[in-house]
Amino acid sequence: MLVLLPLLLVSVVLVCFEAYRSAKDTHEALVGQRELLIEERRAAVRDIVQMATTAIAPIYENAGANDREAKERAAEMLRSMRFEGENYIFVYGYDGTNIVLPHSPEREGQNLRDLQAPDGTYIVRDFIRVGQDGGGFYEYPWEYHGTNETKPKHSYIDRLEKWGWIVGAGVYVTDVDEAMAELEAAAAADLRNAIIFATLLGDALFAAIALLAFGFVRRIVGPIKRTADAMRDIAQGRGDLTSRLALEGNDEIGNLAVQFNAFVARMQDTLRDVRRSTTSVFYSAEESSRSSEDLATRTEQAAANLQQTSASMEEITSTVSHSADNAQQANKLVQSTAEVAHQGEEAMGQVENTMRDINDSATRISEIITMIDAMPSRPTFWR
């Protein structure tokens, strides 16, 4: 849309501008053509008037200022002239008296100085003024014959200074209007065809550019959309970290795919490390569980050993007591031996054996006491 909307706007503006320029050029050309045709019509009227004055020139040049007969012959000659159908030559005197007016012969000889056109213009006075100024063109509105419509009439006025006459003729430009209407219709048709052609050409170019734009946009947006879909799947936990985006070029889109693939690969490696760490933690937890169980077993065994140690202590206590009794008995025996030393060598041997037994018992007692002292760090059991 960012490509096509400006393009459509530019196309519409260009077509409208071209249509406006063509219409303006056509209008100017038609105006120029109309002026040219009117100028041709005015030139034709001027030529007719000049031909009329040329036709009566021999009479005019050979006649005097008051030669009535020459004036009558010249007037009759001008009265009989026609051009372009019923168009005629008219003649007025400087005082406004009509001399030749073929379409209204009843007005000949009348002073028409006060004759007015439909717009109130005193046309006879203007005829006289233009003629006295040396002649020229004069335009005025007049009723078009056979209708009640007013049409512009173009006249050319010349003068016969010696007789005090102004000679003129006028034509309507309705034929010019008709010709211009045909030209305008043809120009309008050409303009319409040109606009249609420009519109169709613009539509064709717009369609072609739209297809190209669609292809380019699809090529650009497609990888971005696939990247966005892949990122959305990863964000929602459904992404396949083993898949990679295809590299479709060396532009920014291709760089985006490269960076995305690197990101996914890095994430995949990280998750693998996490999985390995999780597995290691799981095994360590199992090992800790087994160690805890073993520790509990050892604790129970230590408690049992402690009970056994208590029993051994009671036994040792009994043994020590017995040893004390033995010591006392030995002491008595020594005294008895001193008393009965004289009884002989046999009694001494018995005493020595008894003392050896006492020594062994003392040694055993000492070992037992040492073992009792070592019990807190590592208990020892005697069977």
Side-chain angles (χ1 to χ4, degrees):
M1 296 302 290
L2 290 176
V3 174
L4 296 182
L5 286 180
L7 178 61
L8 179 61
L9 180 61
V10 170
S11 300
V12 172
V13 170
L14 289 178
V15 171
C16 293
F17 176 76
E18 182 64 22
Y20 171 76
R21 188 182 64 83
S22 299
K24 183 178 179 181
D25 293 343
T26 301
H27 176 71
E28 292 177 354
L30 290 174
V31 170
Q33 184 68 25
R34 179 183 178 82
E35 292 178 354
L36 180 61
L37 291 176
I38 292 176
E39 190 61 31
E40 289 179 355
R41 295 287 290 157
R42 289 158 64 93
V45 172
R46 181 189 61 198
D47 294 340
I48 292 297
V49 173
Q50 290 176 352
M51 288 174 60
T53 57
T54 300
I56 63 173
I59 300 174
Y60 176 75
E61 292 174 357
N62 294 326
N66 297 316
D67 190 343
R68 184 179 295 275
E69 183 181 355
K71 290 181 179 181
E72 187 63 34
R73 283 190 290 119
E76 187 63 28
M77 186 178 294
L78 294 174
R79 193 177 289 114
S80 63
M81 290 182 179
R82 296 288 186 277
F83 65 94
E84 296 182 3
E86 296 298 323
N87 289 326
Y88 54 89
I89 304 295
F90 59 84
V91 180
Y92 287 91
Y94 283 174
D95 60 353
T97 301
N98 179 263
I99 299 171
V100 176
L101 194 60
H103 77 290
S104 298
E106 69 279 3
R107 290 186 175 185
E108 291 182 0
Q110 296 180 8
N111 191 311
L112 301 178
R113 186 178 179 84
D114 295 329
L115 182 64
Q116 291 180 298
D119 63 349
T121 303
Y122 292 94
I123 59 175
V124 176
R125 296 179 187 181
D126 291 338
F127 289 162
I128 296 170
R129 177 181 53 79
V130 173
Q132 289 177 341
D133 290 339
F137 293 101
Y138 179 70
E139 180 182 352
Y140 59 97
W142 198 253
E143 293 181 359
Y144 187 69
H145 57 82
T147 66
N148 293 325
E149 298 180 359
T150 300
K151 300 289 185 180
K153 195 170 186 179
H154 296 264
S155 298
Y156 183 79
I157 307 300
D158 201 356
R159 67 178 177 174
L160 297 175
E161 183 66 26
K162 183 171 59 176
W163 287 352
W165 286 5
I166 55 128
V167 180
V171 292
Y172 293 100
V173 292
T174 53
D175 55 343
V176 173
D177 293 335
E178 293 174 357
M180 288 304 302
E182 295 178 358
L183 291 176
E184 289 176 357
D190 293 339
L191 179 61
R192 182 172 59 255
N193 293 333
I195 293 175
I196 292 175
F197 175 76
T199 302
L200 293 177
L201 180 61
D203 292 341
L205 292 176
F206 179 79
I209 295 175
L211 291 176
L212 291 176
F214 177 77
F216 282 122
V217 169
R218 185 175 182 182
R219 181 179 179 274
I220 294 173
V221 176
I224 297 177
K225 186 176 182 300
R226 287 191 290 273
T227 303
D229 294 338
M231 295 183 70
R232 185 179 63 251
D233 292 340
I234 292 174
Q236 294 178 354
R238 300 195 304 267
D240 184 6
L241 298 181
T242 61
S243 64
R244 297 293 184 269
L245 294 177
L247 301 180
E248 302 181 8
N250 295 323
D251 52 6
E252 290 79 2
I253 306 302
N255 188 27
L256 176 62
V258 172
Q259 299 302 325
F260 179 80
N261 290 339
F263 167 74
V264 173
R266 180 62 179 171
M267 183 179 292
Q268 186 178 14
D269 293 339
T270 301
L271 291 179
R272 285 174 178 172
D273 293 339
V274 171
R275 184 173 63 182
R276 285 194 294 269
S277 299
T278 303
T279 303
S280 177
V281 169
F282 176 75
Y283 290 149
S284 298
E286 288 185 348
E287 184 68 22
S288 298
S289 178
R290 287 194 297 269
S291 297
S292 298
E293 292 177 356
D294 185 59
L295 179 61
T297 302
R298 290 179 179 272
T299 302
E300 292 177 356
Q301 185 176 1
N305 292 334
L306 184 59
Q307 291 178 356
Q308 293 178 1
T309 301
S310 179
S312 299
M313 286 295 293
E314 292 178 355
E315 182 180 355
I316 290 171
T317 301
S318 176
T319 303
V320 169
S321 178
H322 180 68
S323 295
D325 293 337
N326 290 334
Q328 290 178 0
Q329 186 178 5
N331 188 24
K332 291 178 179 181
L333 289 175
V334 169
Q335 290 178 359
S336 298
T337 301
E339 292 176 358
V340 293
H342 58 278
Q343 292 181 6
E345 188 176 353
E346 291 83 0
M348 288 297 294
Q350 185 179 359
V351 171
E352 288 177 356
N353 290 331
T354 303
M355 290 298 293
R356 187 179 298 114
D357 293 334
I358 294 170
N359 187 34
D360 292 335
S361 298
T363 300
R364 187 175 180 184
I365 291 170
S366 177
E367 289 177 356
I368 291 171
I369 292 171
T370 300
M371 289 176 62
I372 291 172
D373 291 336
M375 278 296 294
S377 58
R378 189 177 180 182
T380 306
F381 307 100
W382 292 269
R383 300 294 183 183

